[in-house]
Amino acid sequence: MIKHRNSKIPKVRMAIKGHVLKPLFLAQRDIERLDTFVRVSDFCRINDGDFHGADGVRRASVSGPWTMTTKEFNVSNDNIQDSHLRQIPNPSTPTHLHPESDTTDPIPIWPWFIFLAGSMACLICSSVSHLLASHSKRFSSFFWRLDYAGISIMIVSSFFAPIYYGFSCHPISRLLYLTSISVLGVLAIITLLSPALSAPQFRTFRATLFLAMGFSGVIPAVHTVVLHWGSKHIMVALAYELSMALFYGLGAAFYVSRVPEKWKPGKFDIAGHSHQIFHVFVVLGALAHSAATLVVLDFRRGSPTCH
């Protein structure tokens, strides 16, 4: 028994070397290969140099898109930060807030899928932008604008489901709100596609524009509460929407203030910097809005038909 037990020790040591020590060594080697902030191209310097230490790192541009896609999976603060895998609930399954539904008309679920499509489009644009933006100056200008356009698409698509279901019996108000946010979204996309506005000095302007689009939903939200005052579903959905606003607001605050890297320059070049925190809050806000939309959908299922 002792001999058999001792024979496993070399295998354990080899496993530790292969699965623990080797990845750590490769990660350290990749970190040492990264360029310092002052050596990379100008278009890669998104943050101020003061927020990076003497060894602050950003990966420099590479020779081709394929090289970009293969090398960017090494340790770098330009890695894909938006590969968010989420469990998507089924809108055709009731949430059982209404055990029985009096609705005889079929409830369309295409507004819910517009929200899902807009959210996925935003995350795809963001992932592609973070992956390819450091390829060249031309790529950087195009893909960061694509990223901003994706955010606008997500904001606009987020309005469709709650407004459509909340104003099912008020078609004029529904048309007014959906048209207004759609026009505002198109204008925002046109504005953000301007190359000049993708520069780092317009960071505050972009955050303000996104927040203005998001908080334009306050008016239809208040209108919905007034129309359906006392409804348990509407109050629950309102709580979720307030959580969404809080998450988006906190994300924008980190995005603009660049905390914590400005407090500890060089300490958050790889992980934990403000842009990563911003994306975490964006996903949390999207999840909160998703829950609110399902509650409003269930409210519509349990409501009597319009007369």
Side-chain angles (χ1 to χ4, degrees):
M1 293 296 294
I2 296 178
K3 182 178 180 180
H4 177 70
R5 187 186 309 167
N6 291 338
S7 64
K8 293 183 178 180
I9 294 178
K11 296 181 180 180
V12 174
R13 290 176 178 174
M14 292 297 295
I16 293 175
K17 289 181 180 180
H19 297 287
V20 179
L21 299 181
K22 185 177 180 180
L24 291 176
F25 170 77
L26 293 177
Q28 180 62 31
R29 185 189 64 181
D30 288 336
I31 292 175
E32 292 173 354
R33 289 180 178 178
L34 296 177
D35 285 333
T36 59
F37 181 84
V38 296
R39 291 177 54 188
V40 300
S41 303
D42 292 338
F43 66 87
C44 290
R45 300 178 185 178
I46 299 177
N47 283 329
D48 294 337
D50 294 339
F51 298 156
H52 297 273
D55 297 326
V57 291
R58 289 193 67 85
R59 184 174 296 280
S61 58
V62 294
S63 57
W66 175 248
T67 308
M68 188 71 189
T69 57
T70 55
K71 288 189 175 181
E72 281 299 305
F73 286 97
N74 294 328
V75 178
S76 168
N77 60 341
D78 279 334
N79 277 351
I80 302 176
Q81 301 167 358
D82 303 278
S83 299
H84 310 300
L85 299 179
R86 298 183 291 157
Q87 293 291 332
I88 301 177
N90 186 356
S92 62
T93 303
T95 56
H96 302 294
L97 291 177
H98 275 296
E100 297 180 358
S101 175
D102 298 329
T103 304
T104 57
D105 296 336
I107 306 300
I109 59 174
W110 62 262
W112 163 260
F113 285 109
I114 285 183
F115 164 63
L116 289 184
S119 299
M120 288 186 287
C122 173
L123 297 179
I124 290 173
C125 289
S126 185
S127 299
V128 173
S129 299
H130 283 80
L131 180 64
L132 299 178
S134 58
H135 168 265
S136 63
K137 185 175 182 179
R138 182 167 59 91
F139 271 41
S140 177
S141 176
F142 171 77
F143 281 109
W144 287 133
R145 284 180 285 157
L146 180 67
D147 187 24
Y148 305 143
I151 296 175
S152 300
I153 292 174
M154 180 177 179
I155 293 175
V156 173
S157 64
S158 298
F159 280 81
F160 271 78
I163 290 179
Y164 186 90
Y165 298 131
F167 294 94
S168 294
C169 297
H170 302 81
I172 297 179
S173 298
R174 180 177 62 189
L175 178 62
L176 174 64
Y177 289 135
L178 290 180
T179 302
S180 300
I181 186 58
S182 299
V183 172
L184 182 60
V186 171
L187 293 177
I189 292 175
I190 294 175
T191 302
L192 293 171
L193 286 178
S194 171
L197 294 179
S198 63
Q201 58 265 31
F202 290 99
R203 180 190 305 267
T204 303
F205 169 77
R206 293 192 298 267
T208 304
L209 181 60
F210 294 143
L211 286 176
M213 291 179 61
F215 283 101
S216 64
V218 172
I219 297 177
V222 173
H223 191 177
T224 304
V225 172
V226 172
L227 287 176
H228 308 288
W229 182 258
S231 170
K232 176 183 177 181
H233 292 76
I234 297 301
M235 295 305 168
V236 172
L238 180 61
Y240 278 122
E241 296 290 23
L242 291 176
S243 300
M244 177 201 70
L246 177 62
F247 287 137
Y248 284 162
L250 288 174
F254 277 99
Y255 177 83
V256 173
S257 64
R258 283 170 281 182
V259 172
E261 62 265 22
K262 75 175 184 180
W263 292 341
K264 295 285 186 178
K267 298 296 184 181
F268 302 97
D269 288 330
I270 300 298
H273 55 82
S274 60
H275 199 83
Q276 293 172 333
I277 298 174
F278 160 73
H279 280 291
V280 171
F281 279 114
V282 167
V283 174
L284 291 176
L287 290 175
H289 182 74
S290 176
T293 301
L294 289 177
V295 172
V296 176
L297 174 58
D298 193 64
F299 161 77
R300 182 66 188 93
R301 283 200 178 102
S303 300
T305 56
C306 302
H307 298 289

